[in-house]
């Protein structure tokens, strides 16, 4: 009878070990993004506008259980507003920037400013904010921005 108790205890202990081996670091949760402010660099507001020759202020909350790998910011024109190049080609001003200085963080408040080049045309622009974590999960947040003349 003593052998049955020992065997039962051993099996119960082994079962406990097997079910307790789930790692807390394993996650498939995508990063979470909350746009707090997106607007003119001087006012630090959320009016969703920026001035040509000025800056676009971005304050965005990021939570990434799988730790941030990189953050990509893209800003490109919507519709038909672009300047003609010297040879009659159309050139569109746009931004595509990757930030790696937040790599390894689980949570951060992304506070950066982007220069709005003097070559930018006034009009509506599409803002895309993409967070990729170290596990390859990716989330993006989008907004519409208006670029105005100063």
């Amino acid at each position: 009878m003593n052998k049955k108790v020992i065997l039962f205890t051993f099996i119960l202990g082994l079962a406990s070990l097997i079910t307790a081996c789930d790692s807390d670091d394993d996650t498939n949760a995508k990063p979470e993004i909350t746009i707090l402010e997106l607007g003119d660099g001087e006012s630090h507001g959320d009016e969703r506008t920026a001035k040509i020759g000025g800056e676009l202020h971005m304050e965005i909350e990021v939570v990434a259980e799988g730790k941030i790998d990189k953050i990509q910011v893209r800003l490109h024109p919507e519709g038909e507003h672009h300047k003609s190049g010297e040879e009659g080609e159309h050139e569109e001003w746009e931004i595509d920037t990757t930030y790696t200085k937040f790599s390894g963080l689980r949570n951060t408040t992304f506070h950066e400013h982007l220069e709005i080049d003097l070559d930018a045309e006034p009009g509506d622009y599409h803002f895309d904010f993409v967070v990729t974590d170290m596990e390859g999960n990716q989330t993006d947040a989008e907004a519409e921005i208006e670029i105005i003349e100063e």
Side-chain angles (χ1 to χ4, degrees), residues 40 42 49-55 116 146-150:
D40 183 59
E42 291 179 18
T49 62
K51 296 175 188 166
I52 295 172
E55 295 179 336
I116 306 301
E146 183 181 9
I147 303 294
I148 59 175
E149 294 189 44
E150 199 165 358

Side-chain angles (χ1 to χ4, degrees), residues 48-52 75-82 93 116 119-127 144-149:
R48 309 284 167 117
T49 62
K51 296 175 188 166
I52 295 172
L75 185 65
H76 61 88
E78 292 285 344
E80 295 289 324
H81 57 89
H82 36 80
W93 175 83
I116 306 301
D119 291 335
E121 281 284 311
D124 294 327
Y125 283 74
H126 181 80
F127 174 83
E144 298 306 317
I145 303 289
E146 183 181 9
I147 303 294
I148 59 175
E149 294 189 44

